[in-house]
Amino acid sequence: MKLTGNLLRIKNKRDDDNHDITLEIDKVEYITYKKDGRFYQPFDFVDELEAPILITGDRLARITGKHLQEGEHEFQVYDEVEGGFELNENKKLTATTEYDFDADLTILTSVEYTLIVSNEEFKQIKKDRSEEKKANRSRGKKNK
């Protein structure tokens, strides 16, 4: 994970002026809801990415009204659609920062990028990642 720019500049409305703020995300959490008895329960899968996802600040808007700890920031994520931006309710970004008074610097300590997907997509993602890991393991044995 890597942050370029000032994350605190992002306000509660999406703004094109924030295009110079970038976040490199190396983990994605996929969540699906399955019926477990009478109630729907969340199931998650965390995917470690080989190449990071880049999200620019012009695709983010701060979520206000929630009681967050100091340094925690929650954002709505917009998708770029044919020259415009459209809010994607199934994507959320949470970032935690700390301020270093000695260096006068805000440091990114954690990022959670969450996508809510259907049960079929969830199963397919898990299957694809499992096959990739198996292929990588077998390549590793051949190279030795």
Side-chain angles (χ1 to χ4, degrees), residues 31-33 116-123:
I31 296 178
T32 190
Y33 291 92
I116 298 173
V117 295
S118 68
N119 288 330
E120 293 79 28
E121 287 177 281
F122 188 79
K123 288 177 187 175

Side-chain angles (χ1 to χ4, degrees), residues 81-103:
V81 180
E82 298 176 15
F85 292 91
E86 186 176 296
L87 177 63
N88 189 333
E89 293 288 337
N90 294 325
K91 294 181 180 180
K92 295 282 186 262
L93 181 84
T94 305
T96 306
T97 59
E98 289 183 6
Y99 186 74
D100 184 354
F101 292 100
D102 296 333

Side-chain angles (χ1 to χ4, degrees), residues 21-78:
I21 301 170
T22 59
L23 275 166
E24 290 183 27
I25 300 168
D26 52 3
K27 275 195 267 187
V28 176
E29 180 180 21
Y30 296 98
I31 296 178
T32 190
Y33 291 92
K34 295 180 187 176
K35 196 164 188 176
D36 185 20
R38 289 185 0 193
F39 304 102
Y40 282 92
Q41 301 289 331
F43 290 87
D44 69 335
F45 173 71
V46 177
D47 188 12
E48 302 274 340
L49 305 172
E50 291 179 21
I53 295 174
L54 288 174
I55 295 182
T56 56
D58 59 349
R59 292 183 48 205
L60 300 173
R62 186 182 303 271
I63 296 175
T64 57
K66 286 194 172 185
H67 299 288
L68 300 172
Q69 298 292 326
E70 184 177 338
E72 288 184 2
H73 314 281
E74 221 171 25
F75 300 96
Q76 296 174 322
V77 180
Y78 288 77

